[in-house]
Amino acid sequence: MILTFVSNYINHHQIPVSNELYRILGEGYTFIQTEPVEEERLRMGWQDESGKLPYLKLFYEEPEECRELIMDSDVVVFGGTDEESYIRPRLEAGKLVLRYSERIYKSGQWRAVSPRGLKKKYEDHTRYRKAPVYLLCAGGYVASDFHLVRAYPGKMLKWGYFPATKRFGGQEKEALLDKHREGIVSLMWAGRFIDWKHPELPVFLAEHLKKKGYEFHLALVGGGEMEEEIRRMVMEKGLENEVTLCGYLRPDKVREMMERTEVYLFTSDYKEGWGAVLNEAMNSGCAVLASHAIGAVPFLLKNGENGLVFESGNLRDMEEKAEILLRSAGRRRRFGEAACETIVREWNAEKAAGRLAELAERLSGNLGDDKDFKDLAYVEGPLSTAEVIAPRKMYRRLTCDNGGV
């Protein structure tokens, strides 16, 4: 089987799946990168992998060869770029395509009423609803967005991003989980300092925890347009001893910090389509406290089992759940262990790639048979059925259906 993955550029969140697909399919697997890596990403510590991977082809250097491969492959996985010209000839030829996508209405589903937007969604998606085109949903809100435009009915599966998974043996695992240092709790936040990632929320939380008398230290990793504002907040609130701004770090250094951190804070709103730092923090044995609006949260977190979920933008809810974590070292360890198991056993590149290769093989032999497709979904984890749940109902679904603390 020939399987080709087409996206804007490959990164450290996609390489593990690609490496595994290459191991399974050999020369039958290719990743086509359509554009160079952005300078901003390189400044953040991302690596340019364009000359290092045996399965990587660059569309902007070999356009004709890449066009032929997209057209002639048994299965093409396409996403990560808004430029439809790469995939349009294959779609029009009625050939098998697995699209992957984050949300199309990150700023609000009210945008679905735009006539211009609906025309574009129809041209790119809805008109292929009866064709052999399926959707891999990179986030818990994707199915709801596409349901609004009546695309991919009964043909949407859970997907995501799969950073490298670390597997820890006996003593190594105990060391990973035994993070607590008597008298102080370590907290961490990592990302770009931009409005929709809400780096101000951890600072407000630190102010609250200090007033309550908790002993803790918060590390903020990253930088961006809000960095000076955050630095000023820390100083004005007298949190210099409790909060450290670490600047940008290489991805491997971020992982090392996570492995020494007890509580990971993830505060983004609905504009966080997936959020691969959640995979990484869970794999690192952190007790995660995350906003319900983050795309990865409905797929990865079970409230009260492997972490806690707070209502996006609700500082009081965040504060109350943070206090639950700070009051109990045992609970932090339990959540961290369960979070790590979630990644090691279910949400990892090896499992995702193996299932994707199997799904592609079976779909290519049952072209256009939607009945068979419904039977191919796994029970849980990658490539299980992506449920259509409206964003306004998700917080209650996550916190009520999955129990309390």
Side-chain angles (χ1 to χ4, degrees):
M1 183 180 66
I2 299 176
L3 189 154
T4 299
F5 202 115
V6 183
S7 192
N8 53 355
Y9 44 74
I10 198 164
N11 59 54
H12 59 285
H13 299 151
Q14 296 169 313
I15 288 174
V17 164
S18 283
N19 285 346
E20 187 66 15
L21 286 169
Y22 186 66
R23 185 191 67 78
I24 296 169
L25 301 174
E27 298 298 318
Y29 178 70
T30 303
F31 189 107
I32 294 178
Q33 177 172 303
T34 62
E35 61 190 72
V37 180
E38 300 165 336
E39 285 297 323
E40 181 186 6
R41 300 288 183 180
L42 296 175
R43 288 195 298 271
M44 290 170 56
W46 290 29
Q47 302 296 311
D48 184 354
E49 306 289 346
S50 58
K52 306 174 186 177
L53 302 170
Y55 49 78
L56 183 63
K57 289 187 180 296
L58 307 179
F59 194 98
Y60 44 91
E61 291 185 3
E62 304 175 275
E64 291 308 315
E65 183 177 349
C66 289
R67 284 192 186 95
E68 289 181 9
L69 190 55
I70 292 171
M71 198 65 178
D72 296 339
S73 296
D74 296 306
V75 182
V76 171
V77 182
F78 178 79
T81 174
D82 293 328
E83 180 50 66
E84 289 290 311
S85 62
Y86 298 111
I87 198 66
R88 183 62 55 78
R90 184 178 177 91
L91 289 170
E92 292 180 348
K95 295 189 173 184
L96 180 60
V97 174
L98 300 178
R99 302 192 73 130
Y100 85 89
S101 178
E102 294 183 6
R103 296 197 65 183
I104 53 175
Y105 296 121
K106 291 181 181 180
S107 297
Q109 291 187 337
W110 59 270
R111 291 180 176 271
V113 303
S114 164
R116 180 186 231 174
L118 284 174
K119 182 175 184 295
K120 172 70 171 167
K121 299 303 183 293
Y122 175 81
E123 291 174 350
D124 295 346
H125 302 284
T126 311
R127 67 172 172 160
Y128 300 109
R129 56 185 284 133
K130 295 183 178 180
V133 186
Y134 307 89
L135 184 67
L136 307 183
C137 300
Y141 301 94
V142 178
S144 178
D145 281 2
F146 280 95
H147 177 72
L148 288 178
V149 296
R150 300 182 180 181
Y152 314 110
K155 298 191 292 182
M156 297 187 282
L157 298 175
K158 294 180 180 179
W159 191 244
Y161 296 93
F162 303 90
T165 298
K166 294 186 179 182
R167 288 173 168 78
F168 305 93
Q171 291 186 342
E172 192 178 24
K173 183 177 180 181
E174 284 301 308
L176 177 74
L177 297 173
D178 189 21
K179 302 179 183 186
H180 182 61
R181 299 295 176 263
E182 195 65 36
I184 190 165
V185 179
S186 55
L187 297 90
M188 178 180 173
W189 181 99
R192 287 176 289 160
F193 286 33
I194 54 179
D195 59 355
W196 55 266
K197 287 185 178 284
H198 297 288
E200 77 283 0
L201 290 181
V203 181
F204 285 127
L205 175 62
E207 180 183 32
H208 171 81
L209 294 176
K210 184 176 181 179
K211 288 178 179 178
K212 287 280 192 171
Y214 291 99
E215 295 289 334
F216 67 94
H217 181 265
L218 168 64
L220 299 176
V221 179
E225 60 193 45
M226 292 180 65
E227 185 172 356
E228 287 307 310
E229 177 185 346
I230 298 302
R231 194 179 303 277
R232 186 171 60 253
M233 285 179 64
V234 170
M235 294 180 63
E236 290 175 351
K237 295 177 183 299
L239 297 170
E240 296 95 327
N241 293 329
E242 289 79 17
V243 179
T244 300
L245 274 67
C246 304
Y248 281 124
L249 298 175
R250 295 199 319 266
D252 61 316
K253 295 300 180 183
V254 175
R255 287 294 292 266
E256 288 177 10
M257 283 191 67
M258 287 176 173
E259 290 169 13
R260 299 192 301 269
T261 298
E262 287 190 85
V263 177
Y264 187 85
L265 307 173
F266 200 3
T267 55
S268 300
D269 60 31
Y270 288 111
K271 291 184 180 179
E272 188 75 73
W274 178 258
V277 291
L278 180 59
N279 305 59
E280 295 169 333
M282 292 174 69
N283 186 208
S284 300
C286 296
V288 175
L289 174 59
S291 156
H292 87 281
I294 295 161
V297 166
F299 289 176
L300 300 187
L301 277 187
K302 293 185 178 180
N303 187 61
E305 296 182 21
N306 62 0
L308 292 178
V309 179
F310 72 93
E311 186 177 20
S312 180
N314 186 336
L315 182 59
R316 176 172 291 185
D317 192 29
M318 182 182 181
E319 291 169 347
E320 290 175 352
K321 286 172 179 169
E323 288 195 59
I324 289 171
L325 292 175
L326 266 71
R327 286 196 297 264
S328 173
R331 181 175 282 125
R332 295 194 297 272
R333 182 187 173 102
R334 175 165 59 85
F335 285 171
E337 183 173 16
C340 187
E341 285 297 302
T342 299
I343 302 302
V344 169
R345 293 181 181 274
E346 195 74 40
W347 280 93
N348 57 70
E350 293 79 8
K351 179 151 286 189
R355 289 182 174 184
L356 181 60
E358 181 180 276
L359 177 69
E361 184 77 47
R362 294 172 69 181
L363 279 177
S364 63
N366 296 279
L367 194 61
D369 192 333
D370 291 348
K371 183 177 185 299
D372 284 350
F373 174 79
K374 295 172 185 176
D375 295 335
L376 294 178
Y378 291 85
V379 175
E380 59 183 356
L383 299 181
S384 58
T385 300
E387 296 178 275
V388 176
I389 303 172
R392 69 182 182 278
K393 297 181 179 180
M394 186 65 82
Y395 176 69
R396 182 173 177 80
R397 176 70 174 267
L398 292 176
T399 54
C400 291
D401 289 4
N402 290 326
V405 178

